[in-house]
Amino acid sequence: MNVDAEMSSAVDPRLKTKATELFGVDYPIVQTGMGWVAGPSLVAATAEAGGLGILAAATMTLEEMRAAIAEVKSRTGRPFGVNLRTDAVDVGQRVDQLIAAKVKVASFAQVPRPDTVKKLKDNGLVVMPTVGARRHAEKVAEWGVDAVLCQGGEGGGHTGTVPTSLLLPQVLDAVDIPVIAAGGFHDGRGLAAALAWGADGIAMGTRFLLTSDSRVPAGVKAVYLDTAVTGTVVSTAIDGAPQRVIRTEVVDALERSGMLKLPRAGLNALRFRKLTDTSLRGLLREGLAMRKNQGLTWSQVAMAANAAMLTRATMVEGRLEVGILPTGQCVGVVDDLPSCEALISRIVSEALERFDACA
């Protein structure tokens, strides 16, 4: 018996779900594909600890994505996922790369096209989009996706208004495929609760951002650790879509003014084009796709690129004066920076304690 099989056999049966079987992991715990945050080191550390790490490829160039996938594979032989944007100009090439690299899970923040779902599934990949409404879950289930990540309003980044406690039961009632619960989860009590609801696992972003394996600058992590439960806000002033972030002076200024002025947003869109190695024609194609698929105005398209620039400046370069820090509401109850191994071990122990207490 190999080491992975020995570890899997040692997992408490109460933590074995349809998702652990589908993903080929030990524990029903998913680290989400946070842009600029979920790099190879975090993904590999999560995988080695028995969870499913998801690489944030949406903010990478195609070549950066290839290199990042290779780095993850050099660090771990365990399954992991890659998050893609469905409206990316080169999404077809990215799908081909995932297939060629034999990545286990293809994750999508938006609803993928039916032909994309079919191609990935025909080539043996697990397809898991994120949904924020029952009707979205029903739609993608009809297209044949393997699982859905159901994110409630407590989640970080772009999010909806329905809290996890109401959205999760709706989605569970609507589909027969594995459902991963997201939005507010940060410990073993949450995992036990999600499994009791009928979910097949939990997904966490902010909790994994605040680990020692995350390469987010220390000064930025300190701001997260110092944020109260009431210290976040869902704002549409950043890129036109509801996004939960830490409330900062910059965010307050954006809220007062409505949005950054379009000329500045357009300039940052061009800067983002250079960062992601996208041609001007490609940028326009992406903009058209976003207008078509997400119903955005040209102003919102420019703001979307602007938001990516602002987030990168904060999360990668540590420029806190920029002040865009996507976060889940659970940030207010996180107070340490464990390794992924220590975090997952603790969550598993806490969940089993809850099960034992309720037996």
PDB file of all heavy atoms in Angstrom, residues 27-41:
ATOM      1  N   TYR A  27      -9.449  14.948   3.031  1.00  0.00           N
ATOM      2  CA  TYR A  27     -10.420  15.689   3.838  1.00  0.00           C
ATOM      3  C   TYR A  27     -11.307  16.582   2.972  1.00  0.00           C
ATOM      4  O   TYR A  27     -10.852  17.117   1.949  1.00  0.00           O
ATOM      5  CB  TYR A  27      -9.688  16.551   4.875  1.00  0.00           C
ATOM      6  CG  TYR A  27      -8.749  15.758   5.744  1.00  0.00           C
ATOM      7  CD1 TYR A  27      -7.377  16.007   5.728  1.00  0.00           C
ATOM      8  CD2 TYR A  27      -9.229  14.741   6.581  1.00  0.00           C
ATOM      9  CE1 TYR A  27      -6.505  15.268   6.519  1.00  0.00           C
ATOM     10  CE2 TYR A  27      -8.366  14.004   7.369  1.00  0.00           C
ATOM     11  CZ  TYR A  27      -7.008  14.262   7.332  1.00  0.00           C
ATOM     12  OH  TYR A  27      -6.139  13.528   8.113  1.00  0.00           O
ATOM     13  N   PRO A  28     -12.546  16.798   3.372  1.00  0.00           N
ATOM     14  CA  PRO A  28     -13.482  17.610   2.582  1.00  0.00           C
ATOM     15  C   PRO A  28     -13.276  19.107   2.815  1.00  0.00           C
ATOM     16  O   PRO A  28     -14.177  19.829   3.250  1.00  0.00           O
ATOM     17  CB  PRO A  28     -14.851  17.137   3.079  1.00  0.00           C
ATOM     18  CG  PRO A  28     -14.607  16.759   4.507  1.00  0.00           C
ATOM     19  CD  PRO A  28     -13.221  16.187   4.547  1.00  0.00           C
ATOM     20  N   ILE A  29     -12.057  19.545   2.532  1.00  0.00           N
ATOM     21  CA  ILE A  29     -11.660  20.941   2.767  1.00  0.00           C
ATOM     22  C   ILE A  29     -11.013  21.478   1.494  1.00  0.00           C
ATOM     23  O   ILE A  29     -10.042  20.895   0.994  1.00  0.00           O
ATOM     24  CB  ILE A  29     -10.678  21.046   3.948  1.00  0.00           C
ATOM     25  CG1 ILE A  29     -11.333  20.523   5.235  1.00  0.00           C
ATOM     26  CG2 ILE A  29     -10.200  22.489   4.128  1.00  0.00           C
ATOM     27  CD1 ILE A  29     -10.365  20.391   6.402  1.00  0.00           C
ATOM     28  N   VAL A  30     -11.532  22.591   0.977  1.00  0.00           N
ATOM     29  CA  VAL A  30     -11.045  23.182  -0.262  1.00  0.00           C
ATOM     30  C   VAL A  30     -10.476  24.568   0.011  1.00  0.00           C
ATOM     31  O   VAL A  30     -11.090  25.374   0.714  1.00  0.00           O
ATOM     32  CB  VAL A  30     -12.187  23.299  -1.300  1.00  0.00           C
ATOM     33  CG1 VAL A  30     -11.713  24.003  -2.570  1.00  0.00           C
ATOM     34  CG2 VAL A  30     -12.753  21.918  -1.621  1.00  0.00           C
ATOM     35  N   GLN A  31      -9.299  24.826  -0.527  1.00  0.00           N
ATOM     36  CA  GLN A  31      -8.702  26.169  -0.489  1.00  0.00           C
ATOM     37  C   GLN A  31      -9.030  26.842  -1.816  1.00  0.00           C
ATOM     38  O   GLN A  31      -8.717  26.329  -2.871  1.00  0.00           O
ATOM     39  CB  GLN A  31      -7.180  26.062  -0.286  1.00  0.00           C
ATOM     40  CG  GLN A  31      -6.392  27.310  -0.630  1.00  0.00           C
ATOM     41  CD  GLN A  31      -5.613  27.123  -1.919  1.00  0.00           C
ATOM     42  OE1 GLN A  31      -4.809  26.204  -2.050  1.00  0.00           O
ATOM     43  NE2 GLN A  31      -5.872  27.975  -2.900  1.00  0.00           N
ATOM     44  N   THR A  32      -9.718  27.960  -1.766  1.00  0.00           N
ATOM     45  CA  THR A  32     -10.235  28.579  -2.990  1.00  0.00           C
ATOM     46  C   THR A  32      -9.142  29.274  -3.802  1.00  0.00           C
ATOM     47  O   THR A  32      -8.075  29.620  -3.292  1.00  0.00           O
ATOM     48  CB  THR A  32     -11.336  29.599  -2.662  1.00  0.00           C
ATOM     49  OG1 THR A  32     -10.797  30.629  -1.823  1.00  0.00           O
ATOM     50  CG2 THR A  32     -12.501  28.920  -1.955  1.00  0.00           C
ATOM     51  N   GLY A  33      -9.447  29.508  -5.082  1.00  0.00           N
ATOM     52  CA  GLY A  33      -8.489  30.108  -6.010  1.00  0.00           C
ATOM     53  C   GLY A  33      -8.499  31.615  -5.957  1.00  0.00           C
ATOM     54  O   GLY A  33      -8.951  32.288  -6.890  1.00  0.00           O
ATOM     55  N   MET A  34      -7.965  32.170  -4.872  1.00  0.00           N
ATOM     56  CA  MET A  34      -7.941  33.620  -4.669  1.00  0.00           C
ATOM     57  C   MET A  34      -6.899  34.288  -5.563  1.00  0.00           C
ATOM     58  O   MET A  34      -5.719  33.962  -5.509  1.00  0.00           O
ATOM     59  CB  MET A  34      -7.619  33.933  -3.208  1.00  0.00           C
ATOM     60  CG  MET A  34      -8.602  33.385  -2.214  1.00  0.00           C
ATOM     61  SD  MET A  34      -7.920  33.364  -0.526  1.00  0.00           S
ATOM     62  CE  MET A  34      -6.877  31.896  -0.610  1.00  0.00           C
ATOM     63  N   GLY A  35      -7.360  35.255  -6.380  1.00  0.00           N
ATOM     64  CA  GLY A  35      -6.451  35.961  -7.268  1.00  0.00           C
ATOM     65  C   GLY A  35      -5.311  36.631  -6.529  1.00  0.00           C
ATOM     66  O   GLY A  35      -5.524  37.268  -5.502  1.00  0.00           O
ATOM     67  N   TRP A  36      -4.084  36.462  -7.041  1.00  0.00           N
ATOM     68  CA  TRP A  36      -2.857  37.028  -6.489  1.00  0.00           C
ATOM     69  C   TRP A  36      -2.456  36.374  -5.164  1.00  0.00           C
ATOM     70  O   TRP A  36      -1.433  36.712  -4.598  1.00  0.00           O
ATOM     71  CB  TRP A  36      -2.956  38.549  -6.269  1.00  0.00           C
ATOM     72  CG  TRP A  36      -3.490  39.330  -7.420  1.00  0.00           C
ATOM     73  CD1 TRP A  36      -4.646  40.055  -7.447  1.00  0.00           C
ATOM     74  CD2 TRP A  36      -2.883  39.494  -8.709  1.00  0.00           C
ATOM     75  NE1 TRP A  36      -4.811  40.642  -8.669  1.00  0.00           N
ATOM     76  CE2 TRP A  36      -3.745  40.328  -9.461  1.00  0.00           C
ATOM     77  CE3 TRP A  36      -1.715  39.029  -9.301  1.00  0.00           C
ATOM     78  CZ2 TRP A  36      -3.469  40.694 -10.780  1.00  0.00           C
ATOM     79  CZ3 TRP A  36      -1.438  39.383 -10.613  1.00  0.00           C
ATOM     80  CH2 TRP A  36      -2.311  40.218 -11.331  1.00  0.00           C
ATOM     81  N   VAL A  37      -3.248  35.452  -4.645  1.00  0.00           N
ATOM     82  CA  VAL A  37      -2.965  34.848  -3.339  1.00  0.00           C
ATOM     83  C   VAL A  37      -2.673  33.357  -3.445  1.00  0.00           C
ATOM     84  O   VAL A  37      -1.699  32.857  -2.878  1.00  0.00           O
ATOM     85  CB  VAL A  37      -4.143  35.076  -2.358  1.00  0.00           C
ATOM     86  CG1 VAL A  37      -3.907  34.338  -1.039  1.00  0.00           C
ATOM     87  CG2 VAL A  37      -4.370  36.565  -2.120  1.00  0.00           C
ATOM     88  N   ALA A  38      -3.522  32.630  -4.166  1.00  0.00           N
ATOM     89  CA  ALA A  38      -3.420  31.169  -4.232  1.00  0.00           C
ATOM     90  C   ALA A  38      -2.390  30.757  -5.275  1.00  0.00           C
ATOM     91  O   ALA A  38      -2.718  30.349  -6.385  1.00  0.00           O
ATOM     92  CB  ALA A  38      -4.777  30.551  -4.538  1.00  0.00           C
ATOM     93  N   GLY A  39      -1.104  30.874  -4.885  1.00  0.00           N
ATOM     94  CA  GLY A  39      -0.005  30.488  -5.749  1.00  0.00           C
ATOM     95  C   GLY A  39       0.450  29.065  -5.474  1.00  0.00           C
ATOM     96  O   GLY A  39      -0.125  28.356  -4.641  1.00  0.00           O
ATOM     97  N   PRO A  40       1.502  28.620  -6.151  1.00  0.00           N
ATOM     98  CA  PRO A  40       1.969  27.235  -6.022  1.00  0.00           C
ATOM     99  C   PRO A  40       2.278  26.797  -4.601  1.00  0.00           C
ATOM    100  O   PRO A  40       1.961  25.669  -4.217  1.00  0.00           O
ATOM    101  CB  PRO A  40       3.224  27.211  -6.898  1.00  0.00           C
ATOM    102  CG  PRO A  40       2.974  28.260  -7.932  1.00  0.00           C
ATOM    103  CD  PRO A  40       2.250  29.349  -7.198  1.00  0.00           C
ATOM    104  N   SER A  41       2.889  27.655  -3.798  1.00  0.00           N
ATOM    105  CA  SER A  41       3.269  27.242  -2.445  1.00  0.00           C
ATOM    106  C   SER A  41       2.046  26.964  -1.585  1.00  0.00           C
ATOM    107  O   SER A  41       2.003  25.966  -0.853  1.00  0.00           O
ATOM    108  CB  SER A  41       4.144  28.307  -1.776  1.00  0.00           C
ATOM    109  OG  SER A  41       3.446  29.540  -1.652  1.00  0.00           O
TER     110      SER A  41
END
